Amino acid sequence: MTTVKVSTLNELHAALANAKGGETILLAEGNYGELFMAAKSKFPITFPSTVTIASADPAKPAVLTGLDLRGAGNLTFDGILFDYTFKEGDNIWKRPFSVVDSDHITIRNSVFDGDLARGVSEVDDGLGWAFGLAFRQSSNILVENNEVYNFYRGMVFSGSDITVRDNELHSLRMDGMNFSRSSGILIEGNLIRDFRRSPSRKDHADMIQFWTANADTPSTDITIRGNVLLSGRGGNTQSIFMRNEMVDRGRAGREMFYRNVTIEENVIVNGHLHGITLGESDGVVIRNNTLLRNPAAARGEDLERRVRIPRIRLAADSRNVTIEGNIAGALPEAGPGWRLHDNLVVQDISPARPGHYNRLFRDALRGDPRRLESYEYLAGGAADRPGLGSALLRPGARQPQFGPRGRRRRYQTLPRNADSRRRAGSAIAEPAGQLRERRWR
């Protein structure tokens, strides 16, 4: 493997011009401005094997203020600070870090540092602006172990064979992750928390969202596993929201159903009824998730408001459905041929009613809503049963610890089920139950 050291954007361009595949280009500390790679660039943009662009010293990362990849292939970015600065006239839909029509792109161990609006309006100023990372019509994408904050939306994707793993997203104004017209998607082990929402704007805030609006193909082969979605001290949001607009508006039929969707082992603590909401779909498994209400969303008149209680919802026309082993505030009524079994309905409204939090969880009503141990199952209680709820909350389980930047945390990944494993031969497949290290910057 050849290593090339550079310290300016021109030197980076020269290193790319000489790259044959397999090189690692190490960037000295400094600001490299905007990196543009497209057909009209005066250097190659695709390589026969991976070319890695990395910071020479991860503690002093190189800075890119813009990234525009068009038709690129076999590139990895490692340990880069992607730093967006708001400028007067920037549109809220601005994509400072964009990848289009590209293949085999990896971004890992990096920070996407957004910025807050200034001089826009009284209701926009002081909140996140622009998109953190945007992929369009790209394939074989791996985004792992990054931190994303202070944007309008964190990440947006369309394409195929996309893995989004072990990232931390926080302090966002509207959405964490958006997907449309995508297939072969794995969303695993991410922490999405503490949104900074506009109290005056009617933003449709979601932590993980899929949609079919204006699409000609549905998203398929989707696994959402082992994520932690915490509203924490931030605003309430929808958690996993997958509306199927083309079907529910009567513009399409079964050809636009989501297909092969597995949602499992997630922890959701939030203050909106759309905990897990899935539109018209064919081939659905929703299992071993735990959905609880953030105590901040259960105060005063909100205590008995159903809109504040996370639950599982599924379009009635969905087919081939299994909903099993979940803990939630409510479940859908079973449709024809659906399998619903071994789920537990819980509530935080009255200790006199069945399923109250005080009898099931460690300190769900008074503990810190940003920490998973507040929601740990009480040993021997009704929630502490094998095959029920997320294993992340099991007594004695090795929980991911979300701490200050620069700290490393270890955790045990969840075992893959044979029916939701990545396709054999995938470049990003990995063994079941592998130990990984998560870096919180």
Side-chain angles (χ1 to χ4, degrees), residues 249-315:
R249 292 172 178 170
R251 297 178 182 175
R254 289 178 179 172
E255 75 281 0
M256 281 296 293
F257 278 31
Y258 293 117
R259 295 194 301 276
N260 303 327
V261 180
T262 297
I263 303 173
E264 62 183 359
E265 292 286 358
N266 300 285
V267 175
I268 294 171
V269 182
N270 214 321
H272 196 286
L273 66 87
H274 291 302
I276 297 175
T277 294
L278 182 55
E280 290 77 2
S281 306
D282 188 352
V284 176
V285 176
I286 301 175
R287 65 180 163 217
N288 301 130
N289 301 283
T290 299
L291 291 72
L292 302 175
R293 176 158 60 168
N294 186 324
R299 295 172 181 163
E301 64 180 16
D302 281 339
L303 179 62
E304 298 201 39
R305 293 181 66 196
R306 296 179 60 190
V307 73
R308 296 297 181 204
I309 303 172
R311 61 194 62 206
I312 297 172
R313 297 162 60 93
L314 184 59

Side-chain angles (χ1 to χ4, degrees), residues 147-430:
E147 183 182 8
V148 181
Y149 57 90
N150 284 348
F151 287 97
Y152 178 62
R153 293 183 179 177
M155 301 177 178
V156 298
F157 298 89
S158 69
S160 62
D161 297 301
I162 300 167
T163 292
V164 187
R165 181 170 62 201
D166 298 346
N167 302 283
E168 181 177 6
L169 291 78
H170 63 91
S171 308
L172 303 171
R173 171 173 159 178
M174 195 172 89
D175 290 343
M177 302 176 185
N178 293 160
F179 296 82
S180 178
R181 292 176 289 184
S182 299
S183 63
I185 303 162
L186 175 63
I187 305 168
E188 180 180 42
N190 301 283
L191 167 65
I192 308 178
R193 63 174 181 86
D194 296 279
F195 279 33
R196 296 182 65 234
R197 298 189 57 193
S198 170
S200 302
R201 291 286 192 194
K202 294 182 179 180
D203 293 336
H204 186 283
D206 307 272
M207 291 189 167
I208 299 174
Q209 181 184 25
F210 286 71
W211 66 74
T212 62
N214 302 317
D216 53 8
T217 58
S219 293
T220 67
D221 304 299
I222 301 160
T223 298
I224 304 174
R225 176 197 296 127
N227 302 282
V228 177
L229 311 184
L230 299 178
S231 57
R233 303 291 189 190
N236 299 320
T237 71
Q238 300 177 159
S239 298
I240 299 174
F241 187 71
M242 300 177 63
R243 181 181 173 187
N244 195 327
E245 296 89 346
M246 291 297 290
V247 177
D248 68 35
R249 292 172 178 170
R251 297 178 182 175
R254 289 178 179 172
E255 75 281 0
M256 281 296 293
F257 278 31
Y258 293 117
R259 295 194 301 276
N260 303 327
V261 180
T262 297
I263 303 173
E264 62 183 359
E265 292 286 358
N266 300 285
V267 175
I268 294 171
V269 182
N270 214 321
H272 196 286
L273 66 87
H274 291 302
I276 297 175
T277 294
L278 182 55
E280 290 77 2
S281 306
D282 188 352
V284 176
V285 176
I286 301 175
R287 65 180 163 217
N288 301 130
N289 301 283
T290 299
L291 291 72
L292 302 175
R293 176 158 60 168
N294 186 324
R299 295 172 181 163
E301 64 180 16
D302 281 339
L303 179 62
E304 298 201 39
R305 293 181 66 196
R306 296 179 60 190
V307 73
R308 296 297 181 204
I309 303 172
R311 61 194 62 206
I312 297 172
R313 297 162 60 93
L314 184 59
D317 290 338
S318 296
R319 308 171 67 190
N320 300 307
V321 173
T322 297
I323 301 175
E324 62 183 0
N326 300 284
I327 298 173
L331 301 164
E333 293 186 8
W338 293 15
R339 297 177 64 246
L340 271 74
H341 62 92
D342 297 325
N343 299 287
L344 178 64
V345 175
V346 298
Q347 54 89 21
D348 61 349
I349 296 174
S350 171
R353 301 179 189 174
H356 190 261
Y357 287 10
N358 284 347
R359 295 193 293 275
L360 301 171
F361 308 104
R362 179 178 176 181
D363 199 13
L365 299 182
R366 296 173 298 276
D368 187 338
R370 298 167 297 182
R371 302 192 65 84
L372 282 189
E373 50 262 44
S374 299
Y375 308 100
E376 182 179 288
Y377 310 140
L378 288 177
D384 182 26
R385 301 201 315 262
L388 180 63
S390 173
L392 291 172
L393 300 179
R394 196 81 57 215
R398 181 180 293 173
Q399 298 174 346
Q401 298 296 313
F402 311 121
R405 296 174 65 183
R407 300 290 297 277
R408 292 186 178 186
R409 306 299 195 204
R410 287 187 68 82
Y411 72 108
Q412 176 72 47
T413 62
L414 301 165
R416 272 70 167 163
N417 296 293
D419 59 351
S420 60
R421 193 184 298 256
R422 295 285 296 187
R423 289 193 294 276
S426 168
I428 52 180
E430 63 187 67

Side-chain angles (χ1 to χ4, degrees), residues 65 83-88 90 94 96-97 113-116 118:
T65 58
D83 191 4
Y84 164 67
T85 299
F86 174 84
K87 298 181 181 64
E88 184 179 357
D90 279 359
K94 183 177 176 64
F97 310 107
D113 183 352
D115 201 4
L116 309 181
R118 296 178 294 277

Side-chain angles (χ1 to χ4, degrees), residues 126-139:
L127 298 173
W129 203 255
F131 291 10
L133 176 59
F135 283 90
R136 181 160 59 88
Q137 296 176 346
S138 296
S139 58

